[in-house]
Amino acid sequence: MKKFNLKIIIIAIIEAAAILLMAYFQKSKGTPQKSTSIDAVAKWHFNNQLKADAFEILDTKCNVCHRKRNPFMVFSPKNMERRASKIYKQVFVERRMPKGNDIKLTNKEYDQLEKWLFTQKIY
């Protein structure tokens, strides 16, 4: 889990530096600069942090059972976006997941998952 978060942070730093450098060189050449370049970096970082938080919830609360009972629905950072509508339906609409009494989502985890799902434009 720590390796995944570290990768996200490193990628975010590199992307932010690249965008800032491009904005700087555009400004020094006298070309019009978009005022949203900083906003784009902030939005990108915010979305990636939401994804990392959502994956942590899926990995610690959902994959525990999915690995045993439904191995074809184990969540990963690569497949979680295409399964967003199913996650929304099972967790928020039908309230079927997580199953059992052992694993529960806290209110904070529900909120984090819902914020990430909102960025996936499934509503």
Side-chain angles (χ1 to χ4, degrees):
M1 181 52 63
K2 289 182 182 179
K3 287 182 181 179
F4 176 74
N5 288 337
L6 183 60
K7 287 179 184 177
I8 293 287
I9 292 169
I10 290 170
I11 291 170
I13 291 169
I14 292 169
E15 291 269 335
I19 290 171
L20 290 173
L21 283 172
M22 288 186 328
Y24 173 78
F25 285 114
Q26 280 181 349
K27 186 176 182 181
S28 65
K29 290 181 181 178
T31 57
Q33 179 184 1
K34 290 185 178 180
S35 63
T36 59
S37 61
I38 300 297
D39 294 337
V41 172
K43 183 178 178 182
W44 181 87
H45 177 69
F46 178 74
N47 287 340
N48 278 333
Q49 187 59 51
L50 285 177
K51 181 178 178 177
D53 292 343
F55 177 70
E56 185 173 347
I57 294 165
L58 294 172
D59 196 41
T60 59
K61 300 287 179 122
C62 305
N63 282 343
V64 173
C65 288
H66 282 226
R67 282 188 186 98
K68 296 175 188 171
R69 297 182 181 168
N70 194 356
F72 295 106
M73 281 297 284
V74 172
F75 300 107
S76 71
K78 291 181 180 180
N79 70 17
M80 62 189 277
E81 286 151 340
R82 73 172 178 259
R83 294 183 174 162
S85 62
K86 288 182 181 181
I87 294 168
Y88 175 74
K89 182 178 178 185
Q90 294 297 317
V91 175
F92 293 98
V93 176
E94 295 181 1
R95 295 272 187 193
R96 291 187 63 214
M97 297 290 166
K99 283 187 176 182
N101 296 324
D102 296 336
I103 298 175
K104 300 260 187 229
L105 294 179
T106 65
N107 289 338
K108 182 179 178 183
E109 290 170 330
Y110 274 113
D111 290 344
Q112 288 176 319
L113 201 55
E114 191 171 32
K115 284 178 189 174
W116 171 72
L117 287 167
F118 183 73
T119 66
Q120 301 304 301
K121 299 178 179 136
I122 59 165
Y123 290 103

